[in-house]
């Protein structure tokens, strides 16, 4: 039996997102659980995964503001593994020879600096979304990654989940015809009047606001369904429009809506996307309409567990089925598996979420912020 490739991870930050990533990364990748749903309709299909045998993960180092904080994180989320090194700085993780790749889970205003330090230390990088504050910062990081010969990827975990892969397979099979329109929303009521203005979602100095924090998730579905569609042939959007409603508390965007239009090549479709900080999302988070059918994806759109497809003849629904997905863990491990495979195979980027898609994301966000009049505080952007 072929031995699994084991990727050794260093963790940058000990916040909530980092704990989610580590918890999932340490789930035995060979785990396969079969779930029973006796109450499902015959049209419901249950997909079970993960059953991964070619790669595995080991946490070897954790960096935080203090050794005590790093050790507490290891105790709580890494099963108290005594072999994991606790560092009171990120520099210690970057210098550790037992670290192959780093996961960066710091606030996005620190992504550029943290990622650049990791790259210069010749560590492969998985960096949380949004990968940077702007497209210029990302271009700089990609140039550095190329110079130092390391893998680099934005941690847009949704793209690697089984449901997302199945939606893409169905959408590109041709059975539904060409994509025509897409609506996607991710919103959450943060109780803005009850949290401090220094909270990450409100603080301009932390790149606060709906667009950068929530916006990647509606946008990923537009990129998947429209930009990635074979008939689009990799064409950039023909038009981007956006509008922002800012909170008087700090001036960051409270509500943002943006439309991304594709009309350059084989795809002629619009994506209407939205994100809000003062209301909760609605149950059907994504609706993708095609010539001969509709795919409706249930919330939360960052880690959905089911979607419903309707097949149409004219305006008549001829068939409807719901597909449900279950797996051990919370869905963060699939991106880790992708990084491990890419590093094992000597790749510089993922074919599923490549550099072009992160650049497209940041270009769209730059344009929406420009139209919305949202400028970061002076000096916050390290590259402009």
């Amino acid at each position: 039996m072929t031995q699994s490739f084991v990727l050794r991870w260093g963790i940058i930050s000990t916040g909530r997102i980092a704990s989610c990533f580590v918890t999932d990364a340490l789930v035995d990748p060979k785990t396969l659980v079969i779930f029973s749903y006796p109450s499902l309709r015959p049209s419901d299909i249950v997909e079970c995964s993960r059953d991964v045998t070619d790669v595995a993960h080991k946490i070897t180092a954790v960096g935080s503001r203090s050794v005590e904080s790093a050790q507490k994180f290891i105790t709580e989320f890494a099963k108290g593994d005594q072999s994991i090194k606790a560092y009171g700085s990120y520099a210690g993780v970057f210098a550790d020879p037992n670290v192959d790749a780093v996961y960066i889970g710091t606030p996005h205003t620190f992504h550029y600096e943290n990622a650049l330090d990791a790259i210069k230390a010749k560590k492969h990088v998985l960096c949380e979304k949004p990968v940077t504050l702007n497209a210029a910062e990302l271009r700089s990081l990609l140039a550095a990654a190329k110079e130092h010969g390391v893998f680099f990827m934005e941690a847009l975990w949704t793209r690697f989940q089984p449901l997302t892969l199945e939606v893409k397979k169905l959408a590109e099979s041709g059975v539904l015809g060409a994509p025509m329109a897409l609506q996607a929303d991710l919103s959450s009521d943060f109780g803005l009047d009850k949290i401090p203005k220094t909270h990450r979602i409100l603080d301009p100095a932390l790149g606060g606001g709906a667009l950068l924090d929530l916006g990647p998730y509606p946008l990923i579905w537009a990129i998947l369904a429209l930009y990635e569609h074979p008939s689009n042939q990799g064409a950039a959007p023909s038009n981007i429009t956006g509008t922002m409603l800012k909170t008087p508390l700090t001036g960051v965007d409270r509500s943002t809506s943006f439309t991304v239009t594709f009309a350059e090549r084989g795809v002629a479709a619009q994506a209407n996307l939205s994100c809000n900080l003062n209301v909760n999302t609605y149950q059907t988070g994504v609706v993708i309409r095609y010539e001969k059918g509709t795919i409706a994806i249930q919330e939360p759109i960052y880690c959905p567990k089911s979607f419903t497809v309707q097949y149409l003849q004219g305006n008549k629904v001829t068939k409807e089925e719901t597909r449900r997905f279950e797996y051990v863990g919370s869905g963060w491990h699939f991106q880790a598996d992708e990084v491990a495979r890419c590093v094992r195979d000597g790749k510089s980027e993922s074919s599923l979420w490549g550099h072009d898609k992160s650049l497209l994301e940041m270009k769209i966000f730059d344009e929406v912020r420009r139209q919305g009049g949202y400028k970061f505080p002076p000096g916050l952007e390290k590259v402009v």
Side-chain angles (χ1 to χ4, degrees):
M1 183 176 180
T2 304
Q3 189 173 5
S4 298
F5 172 81
V6 179
L7 188 63
R8 302 176 300 175
W9 288 92
I11 307 301
I12 303 302
S13 169
T14 52
R16 184 189 65 83
I17 291 180
S19 71
C20 294
F21 176 81
V22 167
T23 300
D24 268 17
L26 293 178
V27 171
D28 184 350
K30 295 187 294 296
T31 302
L32 175 61
V33 178
I34 303 299
F35 294 83
S36 176
Y37 290 98
S39 62
L40 290 182
R41 299 172 300 170
S43 60
D44 285 351
I45 300 172
V46 178
E47 310 270 352
C48 300
S49 48
R50 174 177 172 214
D51 197 21
V52 168
T53 59
D54 62 323
V55 295
H57 309 280
K58 180 174 177 55
I59 310 301
T60 54
V62 173
S64 188
R65 287 170 289 184
S66 69
V67 172
E68 293 76 18
S69 177
Q71 189 58 60
K72 182 174 182 288
F73 181 90
I74 293 168
T75 300
E76 291 184 7
F77 303 109
K79 305 176 182 178
D81 188 340
Q82 301 271 329
S83 70
I84 302 174
K85 181 70 174 177
Y87 290 100
S89 70
Y90 301 150
V93 177
F94 299 144
D96 192 323
N98 293 315
V99 170
D100 303 315
V102 297
Y103 167 80
I104 297 173
T106 53
H108 42 268
T109 46
F110 299 102
H111 286 177
Y112 178 79
E113 178 184 354
N114 297 155
L116 186 60
D117 287 346
I119 289 168
K120 288 180 177 178
K122 297 192 180 299
K123 305 299 184 188
H124 305 291
V125 175
L126 176 63
C127 184
E128 262 305 329
K129 59 83 199 163
V131 64
T132 50
L133 285 177
N134 61 34
E137 286 187 348
L138 178 54
R139 291 190 195 96
S140 177
L141 288 181
L142 295 179
K146 183 177 181 180
E147 176 186 351
H148 291 276
V150 298
F151 174 86
F152 183 91
M153 190 178 86
E154 181 181 19
L156 245 167
W157 59 312
T158 310
R159 180 61 183 82
F160 308 95
Q161 294 163 10
L163 179 145
T164 307
L165 302 181
E166 185 63 21
V167 167
K168 180 177 173 66
K169 180 181 176 181
L170 175 64
E172 295 181 4
S173 69
V175 68
L176 297 176
M180 308 299 289
L182 181 149
Q183 288 81 35
D185 173 82
L186 180 61
S187 299
S188 183
D189 187 352
F190 282 85
L192 298 180
D193 58 340
K194 298 179 179 65
I195 60 176
K197 294 180 181 179
T198 53
H199 189 285
R200 63 172 178 82
I201 206 71
L202 277 177
D203 192 349
L206 292 176
L211 180 65
L212 290 188
D213 195 85
L214 304 179
Y217 292 116
L219 181 57
I220 188 180
W221 292 103
I223 291 176
L224 179 93
L226 305 183
Y227 175 75
E228 290 187 23
H229 197 278
S231 64
N232 187 54
Q233 303 174 52
S238 56
N239 191 47
I240 300 162
T241 59
T243 182
M244 288 180 164
L245 179 61
K246 299 174 184 175
T247 171
L249 294 170
T250 60
V252 303
D253 61 308
R254 189 198 75 186
S255 301
T256 293
S257 297
F258 54 114
T259 299
V260 182
T261 301
F262 289 85
E264 292 296 324
R265 294 185 185 163
V267 168
Q270 281 189 329
N272 293 299
L273 313 172
S274 59
C275 43
N276 301 274
L277 302 180
N278 63 327
V279 292
N280 288 320
T281 198
Y282 41 83
Q283 189 176 21
T284 304
V286 183
V287 177
I288 314 170
R289 290 181 282 175
Y290 295 84
E291 290 176 306
K292 296 180 285 186
T294 299
I295 296 175
I297 301 167
Q298 296 303 300
E299 59 89 22
I301 67 171
Y302 48 80
C303 189
K305 291 295 184 71
S306 70
F307 72 88
T308 298
V309 55
Q310 289 185 335
Y311 300 87
L312 304 175
Q313 283 187 354
N315 293 324
K316 182 181 179 182
V317 177
T318 59
K319 180 183 176 183
E320 178 179 301
E321 63 183 20
T322 297
R323 302 188 183 185
R324 305 179 191 276
F325 294 76
E326 296 291 349
Y327 40 81
V328 174
S330 301
W332 301 80
H333 33 38
F334 300 109
Q335 62 180 344
D337 293 346
E338 174 71 6
V339 175
R341 293 185 181 112
C342 288
V343 170
R344 178 197 64 192
D345 297 342
K347 296 180 179 179
S348 60
E349 61 181 304
S350 165
S351 60
L352 299 185
W353 190 256
H355 298 162
D356 63 316
K357 294 164 193 174
S358 290
L359 275 170
L360 174 59
E361 172 195 7
M362 297 318 301
K363 288 176 183 176
I364 290 172
F365 289 169
D366 285 353
E367 179 59 21
V368 173
R369 284 194 301 108
R370 186 192 68 79
Q371 293 183 27
Y374 179 9
K375 295 182 179 180
F376 296 124
L380 197 63
E381 297 165 284
K382 304 303 184 293
V383 185
V384 293

